[in-house]
Amino acid sequence: MLRRAQHAVLALVMVSTGAVFGVTVTAGTAHAASNCGQPITGLPLQQGSQGTSVERLQIRVAGFVDSGEVLSTDGIYGGRTKEAVRKFQKQYGLQADGIAGSQTVDKIYSLQDSDCTPIHFSYAEWNKCNSNWSGGAVSATAAKANARKSMWKLEALRAKTGGGAIQISSGFRSNSCNAAVGGVQGSRHTYGDAADMPGTQARRCQLHNGAKSSGFREILGQGFPGHNDHTHVGMTGSRQWHGC
């Protein structure tokens, strides 16, 4: 709620500034500030498109997949990317044609903050271990990138499960932080792509089941040893779904 309030205050300041100085604040101007320095260009992007913009798009729609599917973020706009875009568009009331035009990209921009994380999640809540993302199973840069990709999947999960808040009780852990809380050796938390989500049993099971079609391979919840108070999602080589 605090992050939404901050967005609202910023919007009012922008409008007020435009009124006082006679500056017209257009939709394009507002969205330009929301591309977080990683604009999605070359629109429309569609099946056959390739490049960095496709990869940026794929990261943001990777949570809109079939059950058990993990969307590749390879910068190649294939049939699975088209289907993920179509599901994203349908979720947000856009024309569901699987083509990423200006309306689709504008919607993506409206869902992200200036650091490229989705509006309902942050690096700070994902990393309560240390400030520099170091000491895990991968480099600090890789851990932070993994976290951002996972946040976008949770943004999709949040939308698909009614828009209710998702709390993160544990995200990235360095190896030492992981050992301190009794985490298993090689935990996906040390890679930055895992998160634990507490809540009521009903909510945890809702998130557990929704995560199956949100691009996660590792889903551990109610009934799995050590997971009766949270649902854990992460990435791993082979699929592991337990609980609920």
Side-chain angles (χ1 to χ4, degrees):
M1 292 297 293
L2 177 60
R3 300 185 88 194
R4 283 194 170 278
Q6 291 172 335
H7 281 290
V9 170
L10 178 59
L12 287 172
V13 170
M14 290 174 66
V15 172
S16 298
T17 302
V20 171
F21 295 100
V23 177
T24 301
V25 181
T26 65
T29 302
H31 287 147
S34 301
N35 68 30
C36 71
Q38 295 186 8
I40 298 174
T41 60
L43 306 182
L45 297 175
Q46 54 195 312
Q47 195 159 0
S49 298
Q50 296 187 31
T52 300
S53 285
V54 174
E55 181 183 358
R56 292 170 179 170
L57 173 70
Q58 289 170 326
I59 290 171
R60 287 154 178 78
V61 300
F64 293 92
V65 291
D66 291 341
S67 181
E69 180 185 6
V70 176
L71 183 69
S72 296
T73 54
D74 56 5
I76 300 173
Y77 204 122
R80 299 316 303 160
T81 298
K82 178 180 179 179
E83 182 62 14
V85 170
R86 190 191 68 78
K87 289 182 177 182
F88 173 91
Q89 292 167 327
K90 184 176 181 180
Q91 177 66 48
Y92 291 105
L94 305 175
Q95 181 180 350
D97 56 8
I99 298 172
S102 59
Q103 288 187 333
T104 299
V105 172
D106 281 353
K107 183 59 186 178
I108 287 172
Y109 287 170
S110 76
L111 293 172
Q112 67 185 12
D113 282 324
S114 60
D115 61 359
C116 295
T117 61
I119 56 176
H120 296 108
F121 300 93
S122 71
Y123 288 126
E125 67 181 331
W126 203 275
N127 180 3
K128 301 173 184 177
C129 173
N130 62 43
S131 61
N132 60 15
W133 296 81
S134 64
V138 294
S139 71
T141 299
K144 196 170 184 178
N146 288 342
R148 181 166 61 90
K149 289 178 180 180
S150 297
M151 286 184 216
W152 278 103
K153 294 178 181 181
L154 289 191
E155 184 71 24
L157 177 59
R158 188 183 194 278
K160 292 187 290 183
T161 56
I166 295 178
Q167 180 184 353
I168 306 299
S169 59
S170 182
F172 168 74
R173 304 173 190 160
S174 67
N175 292 325
S176 59
C177 286
N178 186 59
V181 298
V184 298
Q185 187 175 5
S187 166
R188 295 308 305 185
H189 287 282
T190 65
Y191 290 81
D193 60 19
D196 294 343
M197 303 174 289
T200 66
Q201 181 176 344
R203 177 59 168 160
R204 296 196 314 269
C205 284
Q206 182 186 42
L207 295 174
H208 180 283
N209 293 324
K212 295 175 182 178
S213 59
S214 298
F216 292 102
R217 287 192 180 276
E218 188 173 77
I219 310 171
L220 310 175
Q222 190 73 28
F224 188 78
H227 291 72
N228 283 335
D229 63 350
H230 67 275
T231 292
H232 164 97
V233 294
M235 296 301 299
T236 188
S238 57
R239 192 175 77 183
Q240 298 181 31
W241 291 352
H242 303 282
C244 294

